[in-house]
Amino acid sequence: MSARITAGLFMSHVPAIGAAVDKGLTEEPYWQPLFEGLKTSRQWIADNPTDVVILVYNDHGNAFSMEMIPTFALGMAASYQPTDEGWGPRPVPIVEGHPELSAHLAQSVIPAGFDLTLVNEMTVDHGLTVPLSMMYDQPAAWPTKVVPLAINVIQHPAPTGRRCLELGKAIRAAVETFDDDLNVQIWGTGGMSHQLQGARAGLINPEWDHAFLERMINDPEGMADVPNVDYLREAGSEGVELVMWLTARGALADLNGGPAPTEAHRLYHVPASNTAVGHLILENA
């Protein structure tokens, strides 16, 4: 039996969410509404465990820097240490990789036309560890292995939504030819609307965010053709992170000849720090 993608999860990776978990602040009035909404997600993941998560995120100048900016970077390692982002590494477990699946993805996706950078050693920052904390809280060890896929949305030009969606389709095709009985989920992270600097610092656009959530479910092909400048204008300078959600969306069945996914949970909350938090769970038929 071959591997299969059973769900797509989509979520913001706000660093302050991780700090709230680490410092035991999740029941504080500011954070309680968000974490109340995540209870459904945590129950869902407990009821739908996975062997491997392909986790699409962006590095924030930690594993990579201005000296080297890969557009698509695939983690190949057996494990990944949480990085020090300036105040010490997060007190979270080491992230265990799946080198065999990583190698298979590289062997399949690169010949399909996607020039991945293969990274045999790297640390991972909040872009990857915060989504794990959102779903799994504070375990002694993460209950799933992770294949990191870092996408550059920090230094422009960033890849287009169309390119990300098509990469997701290639990932699904690759997973389905991996000769092991693996339950795989793909997570797209980042966003939603937010801007961290300049005259529009603090921008949040709920109308854009809600429309994006709807189109992620019902019109991903159309959303893939939205130019990056629209994300920047409507969702702020960091809103372009949302193209990473399209990578995960492209890996679901309906864009690969199968039925539409089922929406298991949706969450939208503002603000978390200075960011709008969006979250979807789509079960893959």
Side-chain angles (χ1 to χ4, degrees):
M1 187 173 181
S2 61
R4 61 218 177 271
I5 292 177
T6 58
L9 277 67
F10 310 85
M11 67 202 80
S12 305
H13 58 218
V14 184
I17 295 175
V21 172
D22 299 342
K23 296 178 180 180
L25 303 177
T26 60
E27 294 301 318
E28 293 290 322
Y30 182 86
W31 289 108
Q32 194 274 338
L34 172 61
F35 285 93
E36 182 66 28
L38 288 174
K39 287 181 179 179
T40 299
S41 306
R42 290 174 173 179
Q43 185 60 55
W44 183 91
I45 202 76
D47 294 339
N48 297 272
T50 183
D51 299 310
V52 187
V53 169
I54 300 171
L55 205 156
V56 186
Y57 74 108
N58 63 287
D59 176 74
H60 299 79
N62 294 294
F64 309 114
S65 70
M66 294 298 290
E67 296 175 347
M68 180 179 63
I69 308 172
T71 299
F72 300 117
L74 181 67
M76 309 295 290
S79 63
Y80 306 90
Q81 291 279 353
T83 197
D84 183 348
E85 299 186 55
W87 47 87
R90 287 192 65 210
V92 294
I94 293 172
V95 177
E96 299 295 334
H98 197 298
E100 296 82 8
L101 181 58
S102 292
H104 180 77
L105 290 174
Q107 292 283 355
S108 302
V109 173
I110 292 174
F114 294 88
D115 299 325
L116 307 180
T117 298
L118 307 183
V119 187
N120 293 308
E121 182 177 348
M122 69 176 180
T123 58
V124 290
D125 68 12
H126 71 269
L128 186 139
T129 63
V130 165
L132 291 170
S133 295
M134 290 172 70
M135 298 304 297
Y136 296 117
D137 198 13
Q138 292 180 299
W142 299 122
T144 181
K145 295 186 176 181
V146 176
V147 172
L149 176 59
I151 296 182
N152 167 46
V153 289
I154 296 293
Q155 178 63 40
H156 292 277
T160 64
R162 171 56 60 185
R163 187 65 170 163
C164 289
L165 191 83
E166 298 302 323
L167 174 58
K169 295 178 184 179
I171 288 171
R172 183 182 182 88
V175 168
E176 290 181 337
T177 60
F178 186 63
D179 191 19
D180 197 355
D181 183 17
L182 288 180
N183 180 323
V184 180
Q185 293 176 6
I186 185 164
W187 296 10
T189 77
M192 296 193 86
S193 62
H194 64 300
Q195 179 152 326
L196 303 180
Q197 70 287 307
R200 297 200 306 167
L203 178 146
I204 291 176
N205 186 345
E207 183 178 359
W208 164 273
D209 292 337
H210 285 295
F212 180 87
L213 291 170
E214 285 292 332
R215 295 187 75 182
M216 278 293 295
I217 300 168
N218 299 312
D219 185 27
E221 290 282 359
M223 196 68 218
D225 291 328
V226 173
N228 284 0
V229 69
D230 286 13
Y231 288 89
L232 297 171
R233 182 182 61 248
E234 301 295 336
S237 54
E238 280 70 43
V240 73
E241 288 181 348
L242 287 168
V243 298
M244 297 188 293
W245 290 35
L246 287 161
T247 305
R249 186 63 180 87
L252 299 189
D254 60 324
L255 300 187
N256 298 272
T262 300
E263 180 183 339
H265 184 47
R266 185 189 307 203
L267 174 65
Y268 183 76
H269 175 78
V270 294
S273 184
N274 55 359
T275 305
V277 173
H279 175 39
L280 279 175
I281 299 175
L282 299 182
E283 295 177 343
N284 193 30

